[in-house]
């Protein structure tokens, strides 16, 4: 009995019966390994239809199989999991690469042409392995890329030009307004009718600098969008003419004295000098919105802050950063050279290391220890600086902790030349000068130079130990328990290294 509405498990195509599905699997997907399966048995059917079908199938071009790996019983293994292939596990060729896989590791589908090449448009669906599926063209691509850099530059320049024009317009209005107000003040100062005349003339001048928006048509603040009412008054910005509120919390507008405004924008071409004309004493103020204040004064304030000298803590920290860059650049070179010498010595234990390489290692090590010492000195100087405010105090504590962790991480791998480099074997008169030269670089002999370097390292380690201990005490007061655990581990490593250096120094250590 034929099944109805069966579908292909590979391409999901529907068929009327099971026979049509089997033919589809054999022809389209290559499941019929026996090319002679459509032979005389089907051709000898009584009605002759089978012979016609067989001849049509022979004309259909099949997928290329010459690259398929042949199955060998007991020898073939799955290319993905390595299991031996048999009838239970299955042995299926990837239709693209041809390698044998078990059923579990051949789950993907890919479109191929008859030559087993990837053809996403006109190809047909076939099973393939994971490698062929992920390595097909376009699998890891991000799609078509369009370079819009030039369009972005045009838009940015247009906005920048608009911003510059707007800034220039506000600056010209600001200069006219300030010059006019100072002129009116000098004109009516000391007059009996100062208040009457001054207020009237100021109102006229402000309206000539920029047109004011009609307040009758405005119901909401131009910045915070709050509705005006009995408790929220309307005010005009003297530079842009927009209507804003005077709420102190939202800070949409402020009444600012002329003296402060002129000192904040002293680079503008005013007719009056703030020092010669004593502008700070003029009792005249101007209402400006927050947008105009930001536009005119924020950039100038930032430039002045950048030009100001750094505080003591920031200056020391910048110096520490420069020293840390030197350490980070030299330390990998030292470790690579030392590892290369170790490998050479391990391969040939009788081989004497090149004195030039040893001298270069000693030079790098000496330079690194000097950099660590300078870094530690800068840290101590930074800690001794008295912070000006609470923020600087927090910053100082953070830098102290980071400095201790940095030195603890970097200085421990910085070891002296290993004892494995010490040449072994009988010493001849010919080798004595070379051995003597090499022995000056070995820890076991402890020359004066080595004692100095070990003392220097011991001093840095003890200083870092003291810094971490003081930091732990501070963190205990602040109940920062998680960070105390990390610092205790760093402190144990430092103590271990201190003990090692002190044992090497012996009587040559600090008293």
């Amino acid at each position: 009995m034929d099944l109805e509405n069966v579908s292909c498990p590979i391409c999901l195509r529907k068929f009327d019966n099971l026979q049509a599905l089997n033919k589809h699997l054999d022809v389209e997907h290559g499941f019929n390994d026996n090319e002679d399966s459509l032979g005389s048995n089907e051709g000898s059917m009584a009605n002759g239809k089978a012979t016609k079908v067989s001849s049509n199938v022979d004309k259909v071009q099949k997928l290329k199989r010459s690259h398929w790996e042949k199955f060998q019983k007991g020898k073939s293994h799955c290319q993905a999991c390595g299991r031996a292939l048999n009838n239970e596990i299955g042995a299926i060729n990837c239709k693209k690469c041809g390698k044998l896989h078990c059923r579990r590791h051949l789950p993907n589908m890919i479109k191929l042409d008859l030559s087993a090449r990837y053809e996403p448009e006109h190809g047909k669906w076939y099973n393939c392995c994971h490698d062929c599926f992920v390595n097909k063209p376009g699998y890891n691509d991000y799609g078509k890329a369009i370079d819009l850099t030039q369009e972005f530059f045009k838009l940015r320049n247009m906005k920048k030009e608009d911003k510059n024009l707007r800034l220039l317009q506000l600056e010209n209005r600001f200069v006219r307004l300030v010059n006019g107000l100072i002129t009116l003040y000098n004109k009516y100062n000391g007059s009996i009718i100062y208040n009457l005349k001054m207020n009237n003339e100021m109102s006229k001048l402000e309206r000539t600098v920029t047109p004011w928006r009609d307040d009758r048509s405005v119901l909401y603040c131009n910045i915070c969008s709050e509705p005006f009412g009995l408790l929220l008054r309307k005010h005009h910005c003297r530079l842009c003419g927009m209507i804003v509120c005077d709420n102190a919390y939202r800070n949409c507008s402020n009444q600012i004295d002329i003296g402060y405004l002129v000192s904040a924008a002293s680079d503008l071409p005013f007719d009056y000098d703030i020092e010669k004309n004593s502008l700070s004493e003029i009792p005249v103020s101007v209402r400006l919105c927050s947008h105009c204040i930001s536009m005119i004064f924020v950039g100038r304030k930032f430039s002045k802050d950048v030009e100001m000298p750094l505080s003591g803590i920031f200056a020391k920290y910048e110096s520490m950063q420069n020293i840390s860059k030197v350490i980070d650049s030299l330390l990998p070179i030292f470790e690579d050279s030392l590892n290369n010498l170790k490998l050479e010595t391990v391969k040939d234990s009788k081989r004497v290391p090149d004195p030039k390489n040893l001298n270069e290692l000693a030079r790098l090590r000496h330079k690194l220890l000097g950099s660590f010492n300078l870094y530690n000195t800068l840290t101590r100087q930074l800690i001794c600086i008295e912070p000006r405010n609470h923020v600087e105090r927090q910053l100082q504590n953070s830098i102290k902790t980071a400095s201790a962790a940095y030195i603890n991480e970097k200085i421990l791998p910085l070891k002296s030349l290993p004892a494995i480099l010490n040449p072994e074997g009988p010493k001849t008169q010919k080798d004595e000068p070379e051995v003597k030269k090499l022995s000056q670089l070995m820890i076991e002999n402890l020359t004066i130079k080595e004692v100095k370097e070990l003392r220097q390292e011991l001093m840095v380690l003890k200083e870092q130990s003291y810094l971490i201990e003081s930091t732990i005490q501070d963190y205990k007061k602040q109940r920062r328990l998680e960070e105390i655990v990390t610092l205790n581990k760093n402190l144990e490593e430092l103590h271990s290294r201190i003990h090692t250096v002190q044992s090497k120094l012996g009587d040559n250590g600090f008293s």
Side-chain angles (χ1 to χ4, degrees):
M1 180 178 181
D2 293 337
L3 298 177
E4 296 183 358
N5 296 328
V6 292
S7 59
C8 176
I10 300 176
C11 61
L12 303 180
R13 180 179 171 184
K14 293 184 178 180
F15 296 91
D16 296 335
N17 50 56
L18 187 59
Q19 184 179 5
L21 174 61
N22 290 333
K23 291 181 180 180
H24 166 75
L25 291 174
D26 293 340
V27 176
E28 300 293 338
H29 300 295
F31 277 78
N32 185 14
D33 293 335
N34 187 7
E35 296 181 0
D36 297 332
S37 59
L38 300 175
S40 59
N41 291 335
E42 295 184 0
S44 60
M45 294 182 67
N47 54 10
K49 294 181 180 180
T51 304
K52 183 177 181 180
V53 172
S54 176
S55 61
N56 291 337
V57 172
D58 291 338
K59 295 180 181 180
V60 176
Q61 295 181 350
K62 296 183 179 181
L63 180 69
K64 176 184 175 183
R65 301 186 183 184
S66 60
H67 65 292
W68 284 14
E69 180 183 355
K70 293 183 178 181
F71 174 75
Q72 297 180 0
K73 187 176 182 180
K75 296 183 180 180
S76 298
H77 294 78
C78 176
Q79 294 293 328
C81 61
R83 293 191 301 174
L85 300 177
N86 51 41
N87 294 333
E88 296 180 359
I89 298 176
I92 307 175
N93 292 92
C94 171
K95 302 305 183 288
K96 189 176 188 308
C97 65
K99 295 180 180 180
L100 285 170
H101 293 76
C102 61
R103 294 190 186 94
R104 183 188 302 175
H105 293 101
L106 209 70
N108 301 300
M109 301 293 298
I110 191 173
K111 277 192 171 184
L112 302 176
D113 59 9
L114 296 178
S115 299
R117 292 175 298 187
Y118 180 62
E119 178 56 53
E121 294 184 3
H122 305 292
K124 296 182 179 180
W125 291 103
Y126 294 97
N127 289 88
C128 71
C129 61
H130 177 74
D131 293 339
C132 294
F133 184 76
V134 299
N135 292 327
K136 65 181 180 180
Y139 179 79
N140 290 321
D141 294 346
Y142 292 97
K144 184 178 180 181
I146 302 177
D147 188 3
L148 300 176
T149 306
Q150 298 300 325
E151 287 76 3
F152 169 75
F153 284 153
K154 291 180 181 178
L155 293 175
R156 188 179 67 174
N157 292 333
M158 289 173 59
K159 292 183 178 180
K160 191 174 181 180
E161 290 177 359
D162 293 342
K163 184 178 180 180
N164 292 335
L165 290 174
R166 178 62 176 168
L167 177 60
L168 181 61
Q169 183 185 44
L170 292 177
E171 288 177 349
N172 292 333
R173 291 177 181 177
F174 179 62
V175 171
R176 288 172 53 196
L177 180 63
V178 170
N179 290 336
L181 292 176
I182 296 176
T183 302
L184 291 176
Y185 175 78
N186 293 333
K187 179 179 180 181
Y188 295 106
N189 186 25
S191 175
I192 300 176
I193 55 174
Y194 170 80
N195 292 330
L196 180 62
K197 283 288 187 180
M198 189 65 181
N199 293 334
N200 188 25
E201 293 294 331
M202 281 180 59
S203 179
K204 292 180 180 179
L205 174 64
E206 290 169 350
R207 292 175 181 271
T208 59
V209 171
T210 180
W212 285 12
R213 186 174 179 180
D214 187 7
D215 56 357
R216 292 175 297 180
S217 61
V218 178
L219 302 177
Y220 302 93
C221 175
N222 188 62
I223 296 178
C224 66
S225 301
E226 286 293 323
F228 294 111
L230 296 177
L231 302 178
L232 193 65
R233 294 185 55 196
K234 299 178 181 180
H235 295 278
H236 286 87
C237 175
R238 270 47 174 185
L239 292 182
C240 63
M242 300 303 294
I243 299 176
V244 291
C245 66
D246 59 351
N247 186 280
Y249 177 75
R250 290 185 291 270
N251 204 27
C252 294
S253 66
N254 287 281
Q255 195 86 6
I256 307 174
D257 293 338
I258 284 183
Y260 291 113
L261 295 175
V262 174
S263 61
S266 57
D267 58 314
L268 294 178
F270 298 107
D271 295 339
Y272 301 91
D273 192 289
I274 187 172
E275 296 180 357
K276 295 180 180 179
N277 301 102
S278 301
L279 299 183
S280 58
E281 300 177 0
I282 298 179
V284 178
S285 59
V286 180
R287 181 169 293 276
L288 302 178
C289 68
S290 58
H291 287 174
C292 293
I293 293 174
S294 175
M295 198 83 172
I296 298 177
F297 301 103
V298 170
R300 288 181 166 84
K301 185 179 184 302
F302 177 77
S303 300
K304 290 182 179 180
D305 291 342
V306 171
E307 294 174 358
M308 290 178 62
L310 295 175
S311 64
I313 292 179
F314 282 100
K316 293 297 180 184
Y317 179 70
E318 187 175 6
S319 301
M320 290 171 59
Q321 288 295 99
N322 294 333
I323 297 299
S324 66
K325 291 179 181 179
V326 175
I327 294 174
D328 293 338
S329 62
L330 290 179
L331 193 58
I333 300 175
F334 175 82
E335 291 179 342
D336 291 342
S337 302
L338 187 59
N339 292 332
N340 292 334
L341 281 179
K342 286 182 180 179
L343 291 176
E344 293 178 1
T345 308
V346 170
K347 290 180 180 179
D348 189 358
S349 59
K350 297 182 180 181
R351 181 179 177 182
V352 178
D354 190 355
K356 294 182 179 179
N357 296 335
L358 291 175
N359 290 331
E360 180 65 19
L361 280 175
R363 185 187 66 81
L364 289 173
R365 179 178 172 276
H366 180 72
K367 189 172 183 179
L368 282 168
L369 287 176
S371 300
F372 277 116
N373 187 26
L374 179 58
Y375 187 89
N376 183 60
T377 302
L378 291 172
T379 303
R380 286 184 294 171
Q381 293 176 358
L382 184 143
I383 295 173
C384 295
I385 297 175
E386 185 64 27
R388 295 180 297 183
N389 48 50
H390 177 67
V391 176
E392 284 195 356
R393 185 175 299 279
Q394 289 183 335
L395 181 63
Q396 188 182 49
N397 293 332
S398 300
I399 294 175
K400 180 174 66 174
T401 305
S403 172
Y406 177 79
I407 292 186
N408 183 40
E409 177 187 357
K410 298 294 183 180
I411 202 172
L412 289 181
L414 185 62
K415 301 178 181 179
S416 300
L417 299 182
I420 195 173
L421 298 180
N422 192 9
E424 298 178 356
K427 299 179 182 179
T428 61
Q429 293 181 354
K430 183 178 179 181
D431 296 335
E432 280 185 4
E434 184 178 7
V435 172
K436 184 177 180 182
K437 185 175 182 181
L438 292 174
S439 65
Q440 294 177 355
L441 301 174
M442 300 301 165
I443 284 182
E444 289 77 7
N445 295 317
L446 284 182
T447 60
I448 296 176
K449 182 178 180 181
E450 279 297 330
V451 171
K452 289 182 178 180
E453 291 178 352
L454 287 174
R455 283 181 174 179
Q456 188 177 15
E457 182 180 355
L458 182 62
M459 180 182 64
V460 174
L461 291 172
K462 286 187 174 182
E463 182 65 29
Q464 294 307 311
S465 176
Y466 170 76
L467 290 176
I468 293 180
E469 289 175 354
S470 60
T471 304
I472 290 175
Q473 295 300 325
D474 294 338
Y475 283 2
K476 285 182 179 179
K477 297 177 182 180
Q478 301 173 10
R479 305 298 183 187
R480 299 166 68 174
L481 302 180
E482 295 182 357
E483 298 180 9
I484 291 176
V485 176
T486 304
L487 291 177
N488 282 330
K489 293 181 180 179
N490 296 337
L491 189 61
E492 291 177 0
E493 294 177 358
L494 279 175
H495 286 167
S496 176
R497 180 58 184 169
I498 289 172
H499 178 72
T500 303
V501 175
Q502 285 179 339
S503 62
K504 290 180 180 180
L505 285 172
D507 297 335
N508 296 321
F510 298 112
S511 56

